[in-house]
Amino acid sequence: MKPLIFAGNWKMHLGPGGARGFLDRFLPHYRPATDREVWFFAPAVSVATVAAAVTGVTAVRVGIQNVHWEPKGAFTGETSVAMAAEAGATAALVGHSERRHVFGETDREAGLKVRAALAGGLIPMLCVGETLAEREGGRTLDVVRRQLGVLQGIPAADLARVRIAYEPVWAIGTGRNATPEDAAQVHAAIRAQLAELGGPADAMSILYGGSVKPDNAAALVGQADIDGLLVGGASLDPESWRAIVGAARN
Ligand code: PGA
């Protein structure tokens, strides 16, 4: 059985000092479990600090929140896959809704980033999800389908390394979340599409994200098609993060 993935997305919080302080409070209480992994998507400047702090800690992975698809060049402010890997990242978040909606990132760019991450040895976690207007217009599954379409043409062996995070935009940072049953329905549609794309769908992890808190984590990971959680706000507090990564799978 694939391990559950509990991924913290720190967004634009926790520089190197803050990251170290967080881990000093989290790691002494961390007990690795065989059925789960803990991932940290840290800001680019904190990746090396987090990687150093978790060296040798079981079932913990460090990722970067965004990468550029080109290997190098005149791209002021961007980070290449190789640079992220050199700093200790082994994963990259791609197409987070804030990248799409605040910075205008397109599906095409998300597709390029997934491919660049795969080529450079990072595990891409592709984020998909509908806005409130799209949900209310009954277009959730169409939107998610379009966003996942960027995986078309990626060979099965590479697809096997991709993780998906379903994050309804209206649930991010709002305190509103999809019910576990609603989320599970979208997850099932995502898994069906991953199979259509030629991926080993059952072995691929699909995480849910959007206002995950200690009190709803267990109900979410209790759904058959929810293989983990991508957590923003509640991943910044060591106590609530500890409660989330310890959520029972029932
Ligand atoms: P939230 O953010 O948990 O604060 O809603 C989730 C995310 O944006 O990944």
Side-chain angles (χ1 to χ4, degrees):
M1 199 176 196
K2 56 188 175 286
L4 290 170
I5 298 172
F6 294 88
N9 171 15
W10 287 351
K11 310 195 180 190
M12 201 167 72
H13 301 281
L14 302 183
R20 204 173 299 111
F22 174 94
L23 293 170
D24 284 348
R25 290 172 61 199
F26 174 74
L27 290 176
H29 305 277
Y30 169 63
R31 301 282 171 270
T34 52
D35 71 336
R36 59 195 63 207
E37 296 176 359
V38 176
W39 296 23
F40 295 105
F41 285 106
V45 295
S46 300
V47 167
T49 300
V50 179
V54 304
T55 300
V57 181
T58 305
V60 174
R61 188 183 287 286
V62 185
I64 191 162
Q65 297 171 8
N66 180 38
V67 285
H68 197 273
W69 56 88
E70 291 290 346
K72 62 179 176 218
F75 300 105
T76 302
E78 295 291 320
T79 308
S80 73
V81 168
M83 289 172 186
E86 185 182 344
T90 60
L93 213 48
V94 174
H96 186 276
S97 75
E98 286 145 22
R99 299 299 319 167
R100 294 176 189 267
H101 297 289
V102 183
F103 300 101
E105 201 169 295
T106 62
D107 284 324
R108 181 182 160 273
E109 289 166 347
L112 291 170
K113 290 177 185 200
V114 167
R115 285 165 173 78
L118 287 168
L122 296 186
I123 299 175
M125 184 179 288
L126 175 66
C127 303
V128 298
E130 80 288 3
T131 63
L132 185 58
E134 289 164 342
R135 168 158 289 245
E136 287 176 344
R139 301 203 302 281
T140 298
L141 295 183
D142 290 344
V143 169
V144 168
R145 192 169 179 82
R146 189 201 76 224
Q147 292 170 329
L148 275 182
V150 304
L151 300 177
Q152 185 79 49
I154 294 179
D158 282 340
L159 269 185
R161 294 172 46 224
V162 176
R163 312 305 200 262
I164 307 296
Y166 168 57
E167 297 200 307
V169 180
W170 48 270
I172 295 177
T174 58
R176 292 181 61 183
N177 53 357
T179 65
E181 295 74 20
D182 282 346
Q185 205 183 5
V186 180
H187 281 228
I190 291 173
R191 202 174 305 283
Q193 190 178 350
L194 291 173
E196 269 175 48
L197 289 163
D202 288 338
M204 292 175 72
S205 297
I206 306 170
L207 285 69
Y208 171 81
S211 294
V212 173
K213 303 284 180 251
D215 61 6
N216 58 22
L220 288 161
V221 295
Q223 296 289 326
D225 271 310
I226 299 184
D227 308 313
L229 302 170
L230 179 59
V231 186
S235 75
L236 293 170
D237 173 61
E239 255 94 83
S240 67
W241 183 234
R242 203 181 309 143
I244 290 170
V245 305
R249 191 183 210 170
N250 50 25

